[in-house]
Short mmCIF file of all heavy atoms in Angstrom, two decimals:
data_model
loop_
_atom_site.label_atom_id
_atom_site.label_comp_id
_atom_site.label_asym_id
_atom_site.label_seq_id
_atom_site.Cartn_x
_atom_site.Cartn_y
_atom_site.Cartn_z
N LEU A 922 -13.21 -17.98 5.57
CA LEU A 922 -12.84 -16.59 5.69
C LEU A 922 -13.19 -15.96 7.09
O LEU A 922 -12.36 -15.19 7.59
CB LEU A 922 -13.45 -15.78 4.58
CG LEU A 922 -12.87 -15.92 3.17
CD1 LEU A 922 -13.51 -14.98 2.28
CD2 LEU A 922 -11.35 -15.62 3.17
N THR A 923 -14.38 -16.26 7.56
CA THR A 923 -14.79 -15.74 8.81
C THR A 923 -14.32 -16.58 10.01
O THR A 923 -14.56 -16.13 11.16
CB THR A 923 -16.30 -15.53 8.87
OG1 THR A 923 -16.91 -16.84 8.96
CG2 THR A 923 -16.90 -14.80 7.73
N ASP A 924 -13.70 -17.66 9.78
CA ASP A 924 -13.29 -18.60 10.88
C ASP A 924 -14.49 -18.89 11.74
O ASP A 924 -14.51 -18.65 12.94
CB ASP A 924 -12.11 -17.97 11.69
CG ASP A 924 -11.44 -19.06 12.64
OD1 ASP A 924 -11.78 -20.23 12.41
OD2 ASP A 924 -10.72 -18.64 13.48
N ASN A 925 -15.55 -19.35 10.95
CA ASN A 925 -16.86 -19.74 11.58
C ASN A 925 -17.46 -18.57 12.38
O ASN A 925 -17.96 -18.77 13.51
CB ASN A 925 -16.65 -20.95 12.43
CG ASN A 925 -16.33 -22.22 11.64
OD1 ASN A 925 -17.10 -22.53 10.72
ND2 ASN A 925 -15.26 -22.90 11.97
N GLY A 926 -17.40 -17.38 11.75
CA GLY A 926 -18.08 -16.23 12.34
C GLY A 926 -17.36 -15.54 13.43
O GLY A 926 -17.92 -14.70 14.11
N THR A 927 -16.03 -15.71 13.48
CA THR A 927 -15.27 -15.03 14.56
C THR A 927 -14.31 -14.01 13.91
O THR A 927 -13.59 -13.29 14.67
CB THR A 927 -14.44 -16.01 15.32
OG1 THR A 927 -13.46 -16.68 14.47
CG2 THR A 927 -15.31 -17.13 16.00
N ARG A 928 -14.27 -13.86 12.57
CA ARG A 928 -13.33 -12.90 11.95
C ARG A 928 -14.15 -12.03 10.95
O ARG A 928 -14.83 -12.56 10.09
CB ARG A 928 -12.26 -13.64 11.21
CG ARG A 928 -11.24 -12.66 10.63
CD ARG A 928 -10.08 -13.50 9.90
NE ARG A 928 -9.28 -14.24 10.87
CZ ARG A 928 -9.02 -15.62 10.81
NH1 ARG A 928 -9.60 -16.25 9.70
NH2 ARG A 928 -8.41 -16.24 11.69
N THR A 929 -13.94 -10.76 11.06
CA THR A 929 -14.70 -9.83 10.16
C THR A 929 -14.09 -9.86 8.78
O THR A 929 -12.89 -9.77 8.56
CB THR A 929 -14.71 -8.43 10.78
OG1 THR A 929 -15.26 -8.52 12.11
CG2 THR A 929 -15.47 -7.44 9.90
N ILE A 930 -14.94 -9.78 7.75
CA ILE A 930 -14.47 -9.80 6.41
C ILE A 930 -15.30 -8.73 5.58
O ILE A 930 -16.17 -8.07 6.14
CB ILE A 930 -14.64 -11.14 5.62
CG1 ILE A 930 -16.16 -11.47 5.47
CG2 ILE A 930 -13.92 -12.27 6.39
CD1 ILE A 930 -16.44 -12.64 4.58
N MET A 931 -14.99 -8.56 4.34
CA MET A 931 -15.64 -7.55 3.45
C MET A 931 -16.29 -8.29 2.26
O MET A 931 -15.60 -9.23 1.74
CB MET A 931 -14.59 -6.56 2.97
CG MET A 931 -15.21 -5.57 1.91
SD MET A 931 -14.03 -4.25 1.41
CE MET A 931 -14.30 -3.11 2.89
N ALA A 932 -17.41 -7.83 1.88
CA ALA A 932 -18.12 -8.35 0.70
C ALA A 932 -18.44 -7.09 -0.12
O ALA A 932 -18.91 -6.13 0.42
CB ALA A 932 -19.31 -9.14 1.02
N GLN A 933 -18.18 -7.24 -1.42
CA GLN A 933 -18.47 -6.15 -2.37
C GLN A 933 -19.19 -6.78 -3.57
O GLN A 933 -18.84 -7.80 -3.97
CB GLN A 933 -17.16 -5.37 -2.83
CG GLN A 933 -16.58 -4.63 -1.75
CD GLN A 933 -15.26 -4.03 -2.18
OE1 GLN A 933 -14.37 -4.62 -2.83
NE2 GLN A 933 -15.09 -2.77 -1.81
N ARG A 934 -20.17 -6.01 -4.12
CA ARG A 934 -20.76 -6.48 -5.38
C ARG A 934 -19.70 -6.56 -6.46
O ARG A 934 -18.81 -5.68 -6.62
CB ARG A 934 -21.83 -5.42 -5.81
CG ARG A 934 -22.64 -5.91 -7.00
CD ARG A 934 -23.61 -4.78 -7.48
NE ARG A 934 -22.76 -3.81 -8.17
CZ ARG A 934 -23.25 -2.60 -8.47
NH1 ARG A 934 -24.46 -2.30 -8.13
NH2 ARG A 934 -22.47 -1.71 -9.06
N TYR A 935 -19.74 -7.62 -7.14
CA TYR A 935 -18.70 -7.82 -8.34
C TYR A 935 -18.88 -6.74 -9.29
O TYR A 935 -19.99 -6.34 -9.64
CB TYR A 935 -18.94 -9.24 -8.90
CG TYR A 935 -18.05 -9.53 -10.08
CD1 TYR A 935 -16.65 -9.79 -9.88
CD2 TYR A 935 -18.58 -9.52 -11.36
CE1 TYR A 935 -15.92 -10.11 -10.97
CE2 TYR A 935 -17.80 -9.84 -12.48
CZ TYR A 935 -16.41 -10.06 -12.24
OH TYR A 935 -15.60 -10.36 -13.35
N ILE A 936 -17.70 -6.27 -9.73
CA ILE A 936 -17.62 -5.22 -10.76
C ILE A 936 -17.14 -5.81 -11.99
O ILE A 936 -15.93 -6.11 -12.09
CB ILE A 936 -16.73 -4.00 -10.26
CG1 ILE A 936 -17.12 -3.54 -8.84
CG2 ILE A 936 -16.74 -2.91 -11.29
CD1 ILE A 936 -16.13 -2.55 -8.25
N PRO A 937 -17.93 -5.88 -13.04
CA PRO A 937 -17.50 -6.63 -14.26
C PRO A 937 -16.33 -5.96 -15.01
O PRO A 937 -15.61 -6.65 -15.75
CB PRO A 937 -18.83 -6.62 -15.15
CG PRO A 937 -19.93 -6.35 -14.23
CD PRO A 937 -19.40 -5.63 -13.11
N GLU A 938 -16.15 -4.67 -14.78
CA GLU A 938 -15.09 -3.91 -15.49
C GLU A 938 -13.71 -4.39 -15.01
O GLU A 938 -12.64 -3.92 -15.53
CB GLU A 938 -15.19 -2.45 -15.14
CG GLU A 938 -16.38 -1.82 -15.94
CD GLU A 938 -17.68 -1.95 -15.19
OE1 GLU A 938 -17.73 -2.65 -14.21
OE2 GLU A 938 -18.63 -1.27 -15.71
N ILE A 939 -13.67 -5.39 -14.11
CA ILE A 939 -12.32 -5.91 -13.71
C ILE A 939 -11.60 -6.48 -14.85
O ILE A 939 -10.37 -6.52 -14.92
CB ILE A 939 -12.56 -7.01 -12.56
CG1 ILE A 939 -11.11 -7.56 -12.12
CG2 ILE A 939 -13.37 -8.18 -13.10
CD1 ILE A 939 -10.22 -6.55 -11.48
N ILE A 940 -12.31 -6.90 -15.91
CA ILE A 940 -11.67 -7.44 -17.03
C ILE A 940 -10.81 -6.43 -17.79
O ILE A 940 -9.87 -6.71 -18.47
CB ILE A 940 -12.63 -8.08 -18.06
CG1 ILE A 940 -13.56 -7.04 -18.64
CG2 ILE A 940 -13.42 -9.20 -17.49
CD1 ILE A 940 -14.48 -7.48 -19.76
N LYS A 941 -11.09 -5.15 -17.54
CA LYS A 941 -10.28 -4.06 -18.08
C LYS A 941 -9.16 -3.56 -17.16
O LYS A 941 -8.42 -2.71 -17.44
CB LYS A 941 -11.12 -2.83 -18.39
CG LYS A 941 -12.20 -3.13 -19.46
CD LYS A 941 -13.06 -1.83 -19.69
CE LYS A 941 -14.20 -2.19 -20.79
NZ LYS A 941 -15.05 -0.98 -20.95
N GLY A 942 -9.15 -4.23 -15.97
CA GLY A 942 -8.08 -4.02 -15.06
C GLY A 942 -8.48 -3.40 -13.73
O GLY A 942 -9.47 -2.62 -13.61
N ASP A 943 -7.78 -3.77 -12.68
CA ASP A 943 -7.80 -3.18 -11.38
C ASP A 943 -6.80 -2.05 -11.37
O ASP A 943 -5.63 -2.29 -11.27
CB ASP A 943 -7.53 -4.27 -10.29
CG ASP A 943 -7.60 -3.70 -8.92
OD1 ASP A 943 -7.74 -2.50 -8.71
OD2 ASP A 943 -7.49 -4.53 -7.99
N LYS A 944 -7.25 -0.76 -11.51
CA LYS A 944 -6.37 0.33 -11.59
C LYS A 944 -5.71 0.81 -10.38
O LYS A 944 -6.34 0.98 -9.40
CB LYS A 944 -7.11 1.52 -12.28
CG LYS A 944 -8.03 1.22 -13.53
CD LYS A 944 -7.22 0.91 -14.79
CE LYS A 944 -8.18 0.73 -15.87
NZ LYS A 944 -8.97 1.93 -16.26
N ARG A 945 -4.36 0.94 -10.41
CA ARG A 945 -3.66 1.55 -9.22
C ARG A 945 -3.50 3.04 -9.60
O ARG A 945 -2.78 3.37 -10.61
CB ARG A 945 -2.31 0.94 -9.01
CG ARG A 945 -1.40 1.66 -8.08
CD ARG A 945 -2.02 1.94 -6.70
NE ARG A 945 -2.58 0.83 -6.00
CZ ARG A 945 -1.92 0.03 -5.18
NH1 ARG A 945 -0.64 0.25 -5.00
NH2 ARG A 945 -2.50 -0.94 -4.53
N VAL A 946 -4.14 3.91 -8.85
CA VAL A 946 -4.03 5.32 -9.02
C VAL A 946 -3.30 5.94 -7.80
O VAL A 946 -3.65 5.71 -6.69
CB VAL A 946 -5.57 5.98 -8.99
CG1 VAL A 946 -5.39 7.46 -9.19
CG2 VAL A 946 -6.32 5.34 -10.11
N LEU A 947 -2.16 6.51 -8.16
CA LEU A 947 -1.29 7.08 -7.08
C LEU A 947 -1.50 8.52 -6.86
O LEU A 947 -1.74 9.31 -7.84
CB LEU A 947 0.24 6.86 -7.51
CG LEU A 947 0.74 5.38 -7.61
CD1 LEU A 947 2.05 5.37 -8.29
CD2 LEU A 947 0.80 4.71 -6.30
N ILE A 948 -1.63 8.90 -5.62
CA ILE A 948 -1.74 10.27 -5.12
C ILE A 948 -0.52 10.59 -4.38
O ILE A 948 -0.20 9.98 -3.38
CB ILE A 948 -3.00 10.41 -4.32
CG1 ILE A 948 -4.19 9.94 -5.03
CG2 ILE A 948 -3.26 11.93 -3.90
CD1 ILE A 948 -5.44 9.90 -4.13
N ILE A 949 0.20 11.67 -4.84
CA ILE A 949 1.45 12.04 -4.11
C ILE A 949 1.28 13.55 -3.87
O ILE A 949 1.11 14.34 -4.73
CB ILE A 949 2.66 11.84 -5.09
CG1 ILE A 949 2.82 10.34 -5.48
CG2 ILE A 949 3.95 12.32 -4.42
CD1 ILE A 949 3.95 10.04 -6.40
N GLY A 950 1.43 13.77 -2.50
CA GLY A 950 1.35 15.14 -2.04
C GLY A 950 -0.01 15.81 -2.47
O GLY A 950 -0.04 16.96 -2.66
N GLY A 951 -1.08 15.01 -2.44
CA GLY A 951 -2.38 15.51 -2.75
C GLY A 951 -2.81 15.62 -4.20
O GLY A 951 -3.93 16.01 -4.48
N GLU A 952 -1.83 15.29 -5.10
CA GLU A 952 -2.14 15.35 -6.56
C GLU A 952 -1.97 13.92 -7.16
O GLU A 952 -1.04 13.27 -6.84
CB GLU A 952 -1.19 16.35 -7.19
CG GLU A 952 -1.45 17.80 -6.89
CD GLU A 952 -2.74 18.20 -7.56
OE1 GLU A 952 -3.05 17.76 -8.70
OE2 GLU A 952 -3.46 19.08 -6.95
N PRO A 953 -2.91 13.60 -8.03
CA PRO A 953 -2.80 12.34 -8.64
C PRO A 953 -1.75 12.29 -9.76
O PRO A 953 -1.49 13.27 -10.48
CB PRO A 953 -4.22 12.05 -9.34
CG PRO A 953 -4.71 13.45 -9.47
CD PRO A 953 -4.21 14.29 -8.34
N VAL A 954 -1.00 11.09 -9.84
CA VAL A 954 -0.01 10.95 -10.95
C VAL A 954 -0.80 10.82 -12.27
O VAL A 954 -1.87 10.17 -12.26
CB VAL A 954 0.79 9.64 -10.57
CG1 VAL A 954 1.68 9.23 -11.77
CG2 VAL A 954 1.69 9.90 -9.31
N PRO A 955 -0.34 11.34 -13.30
CA PRO A 955 -1.09 11.44 -14.58
C PRO A 955 -1.27 10.08 -15.26
O PRO A 955 -1.92 9.98 -16.35
CB PRO A 955 -0.40 12.38 -15.35
CG PRO A 955 1.01 12.36 -14.91
CD PRO A 955 0.92 12.17 -13.41
N PHE A 956 -0.71 8.99 -14.70
CA PHE A 956 -0.72 7.66 -15.37
C PHE A 956 -1.21 6.71 -14.25
O PHE A 956 -0.77 6.85 -13.05
CB PHE A 956 0.59 7.21 -16.04
CG PHE A 956 0.98 8.06 -17.15
CD1 PHE A 956 1.85 9.15 -16.98
CD2 PHE A 956 0.46 7.79 -18.40
CE1 PHE A 956 2.21 9.91 -18.04
CE2 PHE A 956 0.78 8.55 -19.48
CZ PHE A 956 1.66 9.67 -19.30
#
Side-chain angles (χ1 to χ4, degrees):
L922 283 182
T923 67
D924 195 9
N925 291 305
T927 64
R928 182 180 298 125
T929 303
I930 67 170
M931 174 174 281
Q933 291 177 317
R934 189 188 70 194
Y935 177 72
I936 306 171
E938 289 84 355
I939 183 61
I940 64 172
K941 298 179 181 179
D943 181 352
K944 311 286 185 64
R945 169 53 55 87
V946 180
L947 294 169
I948 305 170
I949 300 176
E952 287 292 327
V954 169
F956 296 93

